[in-house]
Amino acid sequence: MAVTDIPPITRRRALLAGGMAGLLPRPGAGHAAPVQPMTAQPITLRIAPTTVELAPGITRRVLAYDGQVPGPVLRLPEGRPAWVRVTNGSDAPELVHWHGLDVGAVPDGAAEEGSATIPPGGTLDYRFVPPRAGTRWYHTHTMAMMDFSRAMYSGQFGFLIVEPRRDPGRHDREVLLAAHHWDGALPGIPASPEFCAMPRYRYATFNGRLMQAAEPVRVRQGERVLFRFLNASATEAVSLALPGHAFTVVALDGNPVASPAPVSVITLGVAERVDAIVHMNRPGRWVLGPTDPAQQTAGLGRVIEYAGATGPAIWTPPPISDWDYALFGGPAAPPVEDLRLDGIFPMLFERRLTPDGMEGWTINGRSYADLPPLHVRAGGRYLFRWINLSGCAHPLHLHRHHFTILRRGMRRIGPIEKDTVQIGRFDTIDALLVADNPGDTLFHCHHQMHMDYGFMQMIRYS
Ligand SMILES: [Cu+2]
């Protein structure tokens, strides 16, 4: 199996870091130690300013992991203790969040949950057990406010693949593509409640490289290629198509779907992941790119090149977006009355301009940190009833847990297990939470501007 294009941390290093710890002799145990015991080593990550080359002649100085964008691909075995040592070579405190991993509040990497920050020049060990296989990722969890070089506007993101104990291996090649947007600026804040402030970006990339400057993804006819897509943008959703081909969606946020189904367009809200298999059966050179012409002009996309194919890469816009979570969920969920719930949390999201004209966000009328926590008890079952009373979509993220989408708008859908869900403008979603991971838990919008301006709430176990 071949893997593109991001330098990985090898499986061997990951095994050394965590998997063999249980086999090692305890230091100091026994009477004589004629043989030096092998020492488990952490995976190391260094946060530091790095020059990223989006294309020849287009370079940016950004914060990144290990001098590359995205950071190294971490491949951690499911269920085995992991140990990651992060050094902060930047000039501000940092945290690394392990997105989509149901870990403890201390290693989770969110200051609001009590996770430690890494001071400038400092080092922190993160230890956790990746519980379930799937496409996860890691990224900074700081605030940017109006600094478009900080937090998720920077290059601090990377794939974290939790590998299954047994790999079903129903693909010939694996391609990892992380979308990101660069050179953000805010053109203004609309007064009308029908709209929201949207940063504009000059460049957009997969894996830190503009399409015209990137090596094509090389495939062979007949191959089944597993694409792992990650939207690591700070604020922008992306919709992607590959002319002449269908994406068979097999996992959302790394969790296998009940009903894999072919689509022509994949949409990723900020922080979402989609795993999709493409059967390569239309030889040629094709553009895998965004349906939004502005994002394509900004450089987002990759040429998919069959062996032996020549000529210009072909892009044709898909006739219509067929993206709908409900396609992948199987039979519809039971009605709310049958869910044996311990509580329902209605959560209304509204935009509220501050006295100085900035855009702020409220949940049930109040903003973080003026917002009381929601209380759950361990083992309880709760329904989030998310109601978006604003004119833009929000990628809602819950830390340290998964939730199951059961209804979207007026329609009950088949269960979809996710850690981040894009709620449309003036839309509603019901999602089931099984409170199975005690400890402080952060809920927030993953749109960096929304999160920074109040769109967060704590969930506490009592
Ligand atoms: Cu939002």
Side-chain angles (χ1 to χ4, degrees):
M1 190 177 76
V3 179
T4 54
D5 119 290
I6 309 163
I9 283 197
T10 62
R11 185 197 282 262
R12 187 172 166 275
R13 252 182 97 190
L15 287 170
L16 280 174
M20 298 182 70
L23 305 175
L24 298 177
R26 195 152 41 87
H31 299 285
V35 180
Q36 210 44 32
M38 194 174 72
T39 311
Q41 295 293 315
I43 294 170
T44 59
L45 285 178
R46 182 176 166 77
I47 303 162
T50 300
T51 299
V52 56
E53 189 187 73
L54 307 183
I58 305 176
T59 57
R60 292 292 179 273
R61 194 80 178 148
V62 302
L63 284 177
Y65 298 114
D66 279 10
Q68 62 180 71
V69 177
V73 178
L74 304 183
R75 291 187 180 267
L76 303 177
E78 180 183 16
R80 298 250 190 93
W83 176 14
V84 187
R85 175 167 290 172
V86 183
T87 303
N88 180 7
S90 81
D91 63 2
E94 273 295 343
L95 304 100
V96 183
H97 170 51
W98 316 96
H99 187 125
L101 271 66
D102 300 353
V103 299
V106 170
D108 186 55
E112 297 80 1
E113 296 173 346
S115 310
T117 55
I118 319 169
T123 293
L124 185 66
D125 282 354
Y126 290 90
R127 291 172 186 269
F128 51 83
V129 180
R132 295 167 60 199
T135 307
R136 319 299 178 196
W137 65 300
Y138 62 100
H139 62 83
T140 178
H141 210 277
T142 52
M143 288 188 159
M145 308 315 282
M146 281 293 109
D147 182 344
F148 290 95
S149 73
R150 290 277 169 194
M152 281 309 302
Y153 301 107
S154 80
Q156 290 177 89
F157 57 89
F159 280 96
L160 193 171
I161 310 296
V162 180
E163 299 206 312
R165 289 192 181 84
R166 276 192 209 85
D167 190 346
R170 287 189 296 259
H171 54 270
D172 305 299
R173 186 181 298 276
E174 185 183 19
V175 177
L176 278 53
L177 293 172
H180 194 67
H181 297 74
W182 306 92
D183 289 9
L186 191 61
I189 293 178
S192 163
E194 289 284 307
F195 301 101
C196 309
M198 294 297 287
R200 300 240 177 87
Y201 298 88
R202 186 163 176 199
Y203 296 114
T205 57
F206 279 134
N207 300 348
R209 198 82 174 158
L210 302 183
M211 183 172 75
Q212 55 269 33
E215 286 293 304
V217 172
R218 296 194 169 85
V219 301
R220 291 196 175 80
Q221 187 169 6
E223 278 184 338
R224 293 165 63 80
V225 177
L226 171 64
F227 287 91
R228 297 186 195 261
F229 294 109
L230 157 65
N231 183 356
S233 178
T235 65
E236 283 283 300
V238 296
S239 290
L240 304 169
L242 177 58
H245 298 76
F247 297 108
T248 298
V249 173
V250 295
L252 296 173
D253 294 353
N255 310 315
V257 297
S259 175
V263 293
S264 55
V265 175
I266 283 174
T267 295
L268 298 121
V270 170
E272 287 186 304
R273 289 87 67 212
V274 174
D275 293 2
I277 288 183
V278 178
H279 190 201
M280 292 297 168
N281 53 10
R282 290 284 295 274
R285 298 182 83 241
W286 304 94
V287 171
L288 165 56
T291 58
D292 171 5
Q295 293 205 43
Q296 206 160 119
T297 305
L300 188 62
R302 270 295 183 278
V303 173
I304 307 295
E305 183 178 288
Y306 282 71
T310 56
I314 293 166
W315 166 258
T316 49
I320 190 171
S321 170
D322 51 5
W323 184 251
D324 180 358
Y325 295 125
L327 287 173
F328 316 112
V336 168
E337 307 83 74
D338 297 351
L339 292 175
R340 292 177 288 107
L341 296 171
D342 296 287
I344 298 182
F345 297 127
M347 298 170 80
L348 274 64
F349 311 132
E350 286 177 285
R351 176 184 184 263
R352 191 166 291 173
L353 293 181
T354 63
D356 57 345
M358 195 53 217
E359 185 180 77
W361 292 93
T362 62
I363 300 175
N364 297 336
R366 292 161 83 173
S367 298
Y368 193 85
D370 176 42
L371 189 55
L374 301 174
H375 287 277
V376 299
R377 60 167 181 76
R381 293 159 56 86
Y382 302 87
L383 192 78
F384 291 117
R385 177 150 286 169
W386 291 320
I387 302 161
N388 181 10
L389 298 178
S390 75
C392 54
H394 300 282
L396 308 174
H397 174 44
L398 183 66
H399 280 235
R400 305 176 54 251
H401 296 76
H402 291 77
F403 51 78
T404 305
I405 309 169
L406 301 177
R407 185 177 63 81
R408 185 143 193 241
M410 299 305 287
R411 186 166 51 137
R412 272 191 282 133
I413 68 172
I416 300 281
E417 200 182 6
K418 289 179 68 57
D419 55 63
T420 309
V421 64
Q422 172 102 331
I423 188 171
R425 59 198 304 264
F426 305 110
D427 201 359
T428 62
I429 286 177
D430 280 357
L432 177 69
L433 167 70
V434 178
D436 57 1
N437 194 12
D440 283 0
T441 300
L442 189 62
F443 167 86
H444 66 91
C445 178
H446 217 286
H447 186 297
Q448 183 81 48
M449 270 182 58
H450 300 177
M451 172 185 175
D452 289 350
Y453 289 92
F455 202 145
M456 296 202 292
Q457 188 166 20
M458 286 302 300
I459 297 165
R460 291 239 153 84
Y461 282 74
S462 48

